[in-house]
Amino acid sequence: MQTLSKFLSYKIKTIAIVDSSSSGPEVTLPYWDAEIAGFSTVHVPQELQTIPEIVAFIQEHAQAAICSHRLGSYQAPLFYGAELAASLYDAGIPTLLVTQYLEIDQHSSIRRWRDKLPVVLHLREFDFSTLRHYLDLCVSELQGHIPDSRIPYRVMVGVEHVEGVAGDQYVDVSIDYWDRYQRIRMPIEVFPAELRDQIEPGTWLFAMVNVGAQFAHELYFRDFTLAPEPQFDESLTYCVNVLDDINESENPFLWFEKQQVYAHQLEIEVFGASKDLYN
């Protein structure tokens, strides 16, 4: 785990490139853009087949990473790059996730780990002229400087539709506080295992969501708990920033450390003008 003092002066000299195999679904990452931008690059060896192995290699050889999403080959995928990028986030390593499949995978395999993916790019957006900016965004979030589009708020989420079969189910939800006219799709694995049997149309939940996001693919969801059906437009007004106390701390933890420390301490507040949600 990185220390705060190290991160305050964090410098990126070498970037690890985690690519799909030559027979894989993603086009080879243009690593030369990173070199044009002034960084050294190191390619993660294809023989490394597990997330812990790759994280350990990157910790030893680089200070940041750029990762394709659909790793491995068509026939033998390893795991999704989003999962690897989330593990690198937990290790305090700034990582860009780059994919040609953003429009498709944003609803499924990327959404599962979106809370730990500060920057997700379509391949066409990856360019030497913006690379340093995107890496700075990742470093800044790990330091605890969270942009408005990434700050989580406790809001109400309504289940609108469920489809698929066991092991491959998708849930469409509404977040009225964000946009009452739009629906967001996610895999059922985003929900805690103990709640999945209760996920059906008409179910209401509390969840932590970054409702400052501009686009649907930027939204993440976590810390779901069951909620009563809202009344008096509560779903349009219920929005609580339960992390204010640590976001404004004079001596903050790293952002990923905050999430671990405070995850079990999130409290739900009730607007005085609304009905008591617990009765």
Side-chain angles (χ1 to χ4, degrees), residues 20 36-37 50 55 65 74 88 115 120 136 153 163 183 201 259 270:
S20 184
I36 294 172
T50 69
V55 171
Y74 286 104
L88 290 166
D115 62 322
V120 179
D136 286 345
Y153 291 81
E163 68 177 44
R183 299 296 179 256
Q259 307 311 294
V270 181

Side-chain angles (χ1 to χ4, degrees), residues 154-202:
R154 178 74 70 174
V155 295
M156 301 194 77
V157 175
V159 177
E160 304 293 337
H161 178 68
V162 180
E163 68 177 44
V165 297
D168 189 26
Q169 286 184 297
Y170 292 90
V171 182
D172 298 333
V173 303
S174 58
I175 315 109
D176 290 345
Y177 189 88
W178 180 70
D179 183 347
R180 69 182 302 179
Y181 300 108
Q182 189 164 351
R183 299 296 179 256
I184 306 301
R185 172 160 289 201
M186 66 188 75
I188 199 166
E189 287 82 6
V190 171
F191 298 90
E194 64 273 16
L195 292 183
R196 292 173 193 168
D197 289 342
Q198 302 177 67
I199 301 302
E200 59 185 24

Side-chain angles (χ1 to χ4, degrees), residues 51-97:
I51 288 177
E53 288 178 316
I54 295 174
V55 171
F57 177 90
I58 293 173
Q59 286 177 315
E60 183 177 354
H61 295 91
Q63 299 80 45
I66 301 170
C67 184
S68 285
H69 178 55
R70 294 194 180 186
L71 298 172
S73 65
Y74 286 104
Q75 292 76 23
L78 297 175
F79 39 76
Y80 285 109
E83 184 178 5
L84 172 60
S87 295
L88 290 166
Y89 183 97
D90 285 336
I93 299 173
T95 302
L96 307 182
L97 183 69

Side-chain angles (χ1 to χ4, degrees), residues 69-245:
H69 178 55
R70 294 194 180 186
L71 298 172
S73 65
Y74 286 104
Q75 292 76 23
L78 297 175
F79 39 76
Y80 285 109
E83 184 178 5
L84 172 60
S87 295
L88 290 166
Y89 183 97
D90 285 336
I93 299 173
T95 302
L96 307 182
L97 183 69
V98 181
T99 180
Q100 298 167 270
Y101 295 87
L102 179 58
E103 290 82 359
I104 299 170
D105 292 345
Q106 63 175 316
H107 305 297
S108 53
S109 52
I110 292 178
R111 184 85 70 197
R112 290 180 63 182
W113 293 282
R114 195 62 174 86
D115 62 322
K116 296 180 179 181
L117 306 176
V119 178
V120 179
L121 302 173
H122 192 283
L123 183 62
R124 72 169 66 93
E125 299 176 284
F126 185 83
D127 182 81
F128 70 90
S129 63
T130 55
L131 177 59
R132 191 175 296 274
H133 167 70
Y134 289 132
L135 288 172
D136 286 345
L137 291 177
C138 295
V139 172
S140 183
E141 177 164 324
L142 290 170
Q143 290 174 327
H145 307 298
I146 315 303
D148 291 343
S149 62
R150 292 277 297 165
I151 293 175
Y153 291 81
R154 178 74 70 174
V155 295
M156 301 194 77
V157 175
V159 177
E160 304 293 337
H161 178 68
V162 180
E163 68 177 44
V165 297
D168 189 26
Q169 286 184 297
Y170 292 90
V171 182
D172 298 333
V173 303
S174 58
I175 315 109
D176 290 345
Y177 189 88
W178 180 70
D179 183 347
R180 69 182 302 179
Y181 300 108
Q182 189 164 351
R183 299 296 179 256
I184 306 301
R185 172 160 289 201
M186 66 188 75
I188 199 166
E189 287 82 6
V190 171
F191 298 90
E194 64 273 16
L195 292 183
R196 292 173 193 168
D197 289 342
Q198 302 177 67
I199 301 302
E200 59 185 24
T203 300
W204 283 90
L205 306 107
F206 297 117
M208 295 295 284
V209 185
N210 56 324
V211 292
Q214 182 178 1
F215 303 107
H217 72 82
E218 299 174 333
L219 289 169
Y220 65 75
F221 300 78
R222 63 170 184 242
D223 302 322
F224 283 99
T225 57
L226 289 174
E229 184 176 352
Q231 298 180 19
F232 312 115
D233 288 332
E234 284 170 328
S235 60
L236 292 170
T237 60
Y238 184 89
C239 181
V240 180
N241 183 353
V242 297
L243 298 181
D244 267 341
D245 56 338

